[in-house]
Amino acid sequence: MQMIRYSILAVIAFLVLPALVAAQPAIVHRTDFTTEGKEFWLVFQKNFRDFTTDDKTQGLKPADPLQLELFITSSENAHGYVEIRGLRFRRDFTVTAGKVVNLVIDTAAQVRSSEQIEDLAVHIVCDQPIAVYGLNRRFQTTDTYLAHPVNVLGTSYRAMCFRWLQNDLLSQVAIIATDDDTHVKFTPTVKTQKGKPAKVPFEVVLNRGDVYQVIPKYDPNSPCDLTGSLIESDKPVAVFSGHNCAYVPDPSVKACNLLVEQIPALRSWGRQFFVGTLAGRSSSLLRVLADKDSTHVFENNRLVATLNAGQFYENKNQTQHTMITSDQPVLVAQYSKGFDNGDDVGDPMMIVVAPTEQFLSGYRFATPVRGNWHHYVNLLVPTKTLDDIRLDNSPIDRRQFKPFGLSLYSIAQIEVPYGTHVIANSEPFGLYSYGFGYEDAAYDAYGNGGGQSMEQVIQYPDTMIPVLTANNVRAPGLPPAISAIARDDRVNDKGMEQVTVIDQDNLNPVISRFEPGAPQVPITLGIKTPRTNAYARFRLRDKAGNTGTYTICAIYDEHGDSMKISVLSGDQSCDFSRNTLIGGYVKYSVLDNNVDIPAGSDPLNNPVVLHGNHGAPVWGFGAFAERPYQGNIYLTARAGFDIWTANAIGYRDSLGTAVDGTRISEEFRLHRLELLLTLSPGIQYYFANHKAYLFGLANISLPLYISEKYTRTILLPGNYVYGGMSGERTDYDGSGPSGFPIVITPETGIGATVEVQGGWKAFLELGAGYSLTSISPGRSWNVSYLFGRGGARIKF
């Protein structure tokens, strides 16, 4: 199958351009050792073939023309030159701040040889820091790289390449000396084209600007892959590696593309990487390369490989966001697959992934191609800073981010328009840029890291104790549970060694199986008895021997349906004390007096029986407190004052008659007034919505003041009076029979609450009560009543 991809000259400026646009704010890097600098040594490696087979004649014909170009950008107005000594090639350039300048390079600069010193290095010098990108393309096979300045170059490298496709489509490694008399020792992983044996070092001496490229000898029974080859020198060198045209993941998936990256020195490698999936692609390929023996590699907390120096782990089918961690520094690369993998999109490309240790707090980048392209950036951002990240000075909607596995990072795959962009954050984050063509640009792809710090990664001792995080899991239809993670996943952490449950109550901890060194260990904790407080205590130990003790507390709110999760460290204990609600109330009752006072009762000496009346008003007011007990049940205690008005009334027709013969009619009334101190313990049961409840109280009322007034009144005839010239007279005014009554009155009813401002809740209760004891000593005087009570409460 022949691919049709059109050459768009602007497939340039490829990748991330840390270009400072004049109207955009400055990006402050945390280090001076980045991919921007004033001096660079670059190379253009072999791209595909110089001659191809003619389909009609089967003879050889020249391959599609080669294009070699540089793209240079700067945050300042800059002046410099590009020179290739062996070609007597020189071009001066001027870069306007925030712009990109394009320089076409003589195609004779392509390095085709193997194990031969050539004077073809591209030397760039400038008076201001610049970022440099190289474009190497033929029709249907294009790639670019982000160059590293001289000040970040090292003396130890390992190559990242790919396996053979055909006898001349092979991996390749190029080395450039930056100083005279540079001794380079090369240890290939496979036999070289000129017969250097595998795993046997050989040495070459290079002078400043010399290029030395190594290509493997084709062997149909071997991958012929130089990945892992060791490059060591006594002076700083620049190293480029990749493949002159590779099928990814294997020869069954078309089509091939040039792969090339400038490789970071060993000192810049890291141990933690976040590799997201590629937008629009179903899968990609990952490689993890080790520099030290017994390097343990974890993929999403699963131990996937133990590598020796120069070995690599390969995941041919990365279908999910993948966290790579290791106990020793590694190099990670992500490869896009050929269009024929089922996506019918893009082609191979290679991204060297920046480790977390080398993240920056800001990046400038430009999409490389105008036209039918989808341009994307993958952002790897600390979750706690999602509200801070800005794209072109505008906030990025945090809904575009998804949690990156169990880590403390989140990922967003954001499509951006053609042009130059700035992304900045309050803390360092990761970025890489890529794109896929469509329509006339179909079956093409690009991708590169977005820049990074190039400082030496110092492996400090792991002295920090592991940590424990937890959150509530509310899955519909399932009982409540807690999801926890034991973490030892910071930059210098060595990973978890042991997770031990040392105490628990009402929880069922289940610790996921893990290999020592895993950065995160999931823990699931089921609630045994719902709506009941619970805790679990853990001891965590990491591989460095650091130990921490943590307690997960699960505390239900006052209603019993909202569970708050907290994690305490050290000897702290869960506080299961409940919130207390306090408030005040007023009460109005309608009292029925159930009493019959026989005639001649002391001290009234009443001539008739007095019967209790109905509908007497009673007022009350007071304060209360309530607190959760278990589930929907609350305990409550109230204290207040009640003013009771109790009446007993009797009537009689006098034996006498008036002058006009009318019988005399009289009313006899006992008016009892009591001021009571009422103490009311009780319980309340809230319904599921927690807005309505049933309650029961046991009122214990103590009299503070009692008065009784016994009067008689002439009802008929209206003009009759007693001796005191009045139709009413008082026969008794005192405190009633001797004794100190304690009134016990159960109450029950229903209440409802409503939220008001400031955390207050207003409530209204309706209910009934009945006294179990007499309200008056020496008498059988009980009362019953209906009441309404209203007030407000707040958490204390």
Side-chain angles (χ1 to χ4, degrees):
M1 179 184 296
Q2 181 174 354
M3 299 173 296
I4 300 177
R5 291 181 292 183
Y6 294 94
S7 163
I8 302 174
L9 191 58
V11 171
I12 49 188
F14 224 76
L15 313 190
V16 180
L17 298 176
L20 179 59
V21 177
Q24 294 171 333
I27 295 292
V28 179
H29 294 307
R30 63 175 180 171
T31 172
D32 291 330
F33 296 94
T34 69
T35 49
E36 297 181 14
K38 294 183 178 181
E39 183 181 12
F40 298 79
W41 287 96
L42 314 180
V43 68
F44 288 98
Q45 294 179 271
K46 183 182 178 183
N47 184 340
F48 194 50
R49 297 171 172 139
D50 295 323
F51 294 89
T52 60
T53 302
D54 187 285
D55 292 337
K56 293 182 179 179
T57 67
Q58 300 302 308
L60 292 179
K61 66 175 183 177
D64 293 301
L66 180 68
Q67 297 174 347
L68 305 179
E69 300 182 51
L70 293 177
F71 299 90
I72 303 172
T73 183
S74 177
S75 60
E76 307 287 343
N77 293 331
H79 304 278
Y81 64 88
V82 177
E83 185 177 53
I84 306 174
R85 186 179 58 202
L87 301 180
R88 298 184 179 180
F89 175 93
R90 179 182 171 112
R91 294 286 186 274
D92 293 335
F93 64 86
T94 297
V95 181
T96 302
K99 302 296 183 179
V100 177
V101 63
N102 168 227
L103 296 176
V104 176
I105 303 300
D106 190 332
T107 58
Q110 179 182 221
V111 179
R112 300 172 173 84
S113 64
S114 178
E115 300 153 83
Q116 178 179 329
I117 298 175
E118 300 197 65
D119 194 8
L120 293 177
V122 181
H123 189 207
I124 305 169
V125 178
C126 193
D127 62 356
Q128 298 292 336
I130 56 176
V132 179
Y133 295 82
L135 169 70
N136 186 338
R137 80 172 307 275
R138 294 183 191 270
F139 178 64
Q140 298 185 350
T141 173
T142 304
D143 205 359
T144 62
Y145 55 81
L146 172 63
H148 302 169
V150 167
N151 66 304
V152 303
L153 299 180
T155 58
S156 297
Y157 296 83
R158 286 192 184 272
M160 181 71 80
C161 305
F162 211 72
R163 61 183 65 89
W164 67 266
L165 175 57
Q166 292 184 9
N167 62 358
D168 60 339
L169 301 181
L170 302 162
S171 61
Q172 52 192 9
V173 181
I175 305 160
I176 309 168
T178 63
D179 203 353
D180 289 339
D181 195 30
T182 298
H183 293 252
V184 178
K185 183 168 65 174
F186 193 101
T187 306
T189 52
V190 295
K191 189 175 184 179
T192 70
Q193 192 172 80
K194 290 193 174 181
K196 303 289 194 311
K199 299 181 181 181
V200 176
F202 65 90
E203 188 170 307
V204 60
V205 179
L206 304 178
N207 288 321
R208 188 170 185 261
D210 286 345
V211 177
Y212 187 81
Q213 180 167 272
V214 178
I215 297 174
K217 182 175 181 61
Y218 172 69
D219 180 354
N221 299 314
S222 166
C224 303
D225 190 345
L226 286 171
T227 295
S229 296
L230 180 63
I231 301 98
E232 299 170 293
S233 61
D234 59 352
K235 298 176 183 179
V237 294
V239 175
F240 294 75
S241 69
H243 198 287
N244 61 12
C245 204
Y247 277 7
V248 178
D250 55 56
S252 68
V253 179
K254 297 180 180 179
C256 82
N257 249 7
L258 172 72
L259 303 176
V260 59
E261 288 279 17
Q262 183 164 1
I263 303 302
L266 290 178
R267 67 182 185 184
S268 298
W269 289 16
R271 297 194 300 109
Q272 184 183 81
F273 301 80
F274 295 100
V275 188
T277 60
L278 301 174
R281 303 305 304 269
S282 61
S283 62
S284 56
L285 182 145
L286 293 182
R287 277 192 172 188
V288 182
L289 174 62
D291 179 57
K292 302 292 184 182
D293 289 343
S294 300
T295 296
H296 296 85
V297 177
F298 290 83
E299 187 177 78
N300 288 337
N301 297 303
R302 183 173 61 91
L303 181 64
V304 292
T306 299
L307 305 175
N308 288 327
Q311 293 182 336
F312 64 89
Y313 160 74
E314 183 174 272
N315 179 348
K316 294 183 178 180
N317 195 37
Q318 182 212 1
T319 59
Q320 61 179 327
H321 302 319
T322 304
M323 180 180 180
I324 298 292
T325 55
S326 59
D327 58 355
Q328 300 191 82
V330 294
L331 183 69
V332 175
Q334 182 179 25
Y335 299 76
S336 173
K337 294 182 179 180
F339 79 92
D340 200 29
N341 76 319
D343 296 332
D344 292 331
V345 173
D347 247 348
M349 56 87 167
M350 172 181 166
I351 300 172
V352 170
V353 181
T356 309
E357 296 95 318
Q358 303 285 24
F359 282 178
L360 299 173
S361 59
Y363 303 86
R364 309 173 207 283
F365 68 96
T367 55
V369 185
R370 184 191 298 274
N372 296 325
W373 282 82
H374 294 294
H375 307 285
Y376 302 95
V377 288
N378 276 12
L379 302 178
L380 296 313
V381 181
T383 303
K384 66 180 180 180
T385 68
L386 292 184
D387 291 331
D388 301 333
I389 193 162
R390 298 290 188 271
L391 170 61
D392 298 331
N393 289 323
S394 296
I396 300 175
D397 187 347
R398 66 182 298 142
R399 290 176 296 182
Q400 295 194 59
F401 288 89
K402 303 297 181 184
F404 198 107
L406 301 177
S407 76
L408 298 177
Y409 281 74
S410 294
I411 183 172
Q413 296 172 320
I414 299 176
E415 185 169 2
V416 294
Y418 174 81
T420 304
H421 306 279
V422 171
I423 298 183
N425 192 35
S426 58
E427 292 188 11
F429 67 102
L431 176 149
Y432 52 91
S433 171
Y434 57 97
F436 301 110
Y438 61 92
E439 294 182 357
D440 61 336
Y443 315 128
D444 210 348
Y446 73 88
N448 257 68
Q452 65 174 76
S453 165
M454 300 294 289
E455 287 185 329
Q456 179 173 354
V457 176
I458 300 174
Q459 302 301 317
Y460 291 101
D462 179 4
T463 59
M464 295 186 293
I465 64 173
V467 298
L468 186 68
T469 59
N471 64 281
N472 193 1
V473 178
R474 298 287 300 224
L478 296 177
I482 300 170
S483 176
I485 302 172
R487 300 180 177 277
D488 200 58
D489 56 0
R490 293 151 300 201
V491 168
N492 286 300
D493 286 342
K494 295 294 187 181
M496 294 301 304
E497 176 75 26
Q498 189 177 59
V499 180
T500 306
V501 180
I502 57 178
D503 193 14
Q504 65 84 20
D505 182 43
N506 197 34
L507 288 176
N508 183 28
V510 177
I511 302 169
S512 299
R513 296 184 61 183
F514 68 98
E515 293 285 344
Q520 300 133 357
V521 178
I523 305 170
T524 301
L525 303 99
I527 304 291
K528 295 179 181 179
T529 304
R531 298 187 175 183
T532 301
N533 293 335
Y535 75 90
R537 193 167 178 82
F538 296 87
R539 180 179 293 111
L540 311 182
R541 188 176 76 241
D542 65 17
K543 288 196 70 175
N546 302 304
T547 301
T549 302
Y550 297 91
T551 302
I552 295 177
C553 306
I555 303 176
Y556 281 91
D557 68 1
E558 65 269 18
H559 303 306
D561 68 341
S562 177
M563 184 171 62
K564 179 182 178 181
I565 304 300
S566 60
V567 179
L568 307 178
S569 61
D571 296 329
Q572 298 181 78
S573 299
C574 303
D575 181 6
F576 290 139
S577 60
R578 302 298 188 92
N579 289 326
T580 299
L581 300 176
I582 59 174
Y585 67 86
V586 294
K587 176 181 178 182
Y588 178 79
S589 305
V590 178
L591 197 69
D592 284 344
N593 291 278
N594 303 308
V595 63
D596 291 314
I597 301 176
S601 296
D602 182 63
L604 307 179
N605 196 25
N606 49 304
V608 297
V609 176
L610 302 179
H611 302 283
N613 75 327
H614 305 286
V618 173
W619 289 92
F621 62 92
F624 71 91
E626 65 180 74
R627 64 186 292 116
Y629 172 64
Q630 184 173 354
N632 291 3
I633 299 175
Y634 280 55
L635 300 180
T636 183
R638 310 185 184 197
F641 299 94
D642 292 304
I643 303 173
W644 282 9
T645 300
N647 295 318
I649 303 172
Y651 301 91
R652 80 170 179 179
D653 292 335
S654 174
L655 297 176
T657 57
V659 175
D660 61 1
T662 306
R663 293 178 65 85
I664 299 173
S665 176
E666 291 179 286
E667 178 189 81
F668 302 88
R669 176 184 294 269
L670 174 61
H671 177 76
R672 183 178 175 89
L673 178 66
E674 296 188 25
L675 173 62
L676 302 173
L677 170 63
T678 301
L679 304 177
S680 306
I683 62 173
Q684 296 177 181
Y685 177 82
Y686 281 85
F687 294 107
N689 61 8
H690 298 291
K691 295 181 179 179
Y693 57 92
L694 299 174
F695 65 88
L697 301 173
N699 298 329
I700 303 172
S701 300
L702 308 175
L704 301 179
Y705 171 80
I706 300 174
S707 71
E708 285 190 357
K709 188 174 184 180
Y710 173 62
T711 62
R712 60 173 64 193
T713 303
I714 299 175
L715 300 178
L716 292 173
N719 59 348
Y720 262 49
V721 296
Y722 294 109
M725 303 302 292
S726 171
E728 179 180 302
R729 80 181 190 194
T730 300
D731 289 347
Y732 175 77
D733 191 352
S735 59
S738 62
F740 188 78
I742 296 178
V743 182
I744 299 176
T745 311
E747 284 183 355
T748 186
I750 189 169
T753 65
V754 62
E755 296 280 351
V756 293
Q757 291 184 348
W760 285 88
K761 287 185 177 182
F763 71 92
L764 176 66
E765 296 175 346
L766 300 176
Y770 179 79
S771 66
L772 298 179
T773 59
S774 173
I775 69 170
S776 177
R779 299 169 180 157
S780 178
W781 193 332
N782 298 90
V783 295
S784 59
Y785 54 90
L786 300 175
F787 66 88
R789 182 163 42 219
R793 63 186 68 166
I794 192 171
K795 288 182 181 180
F796 176 72

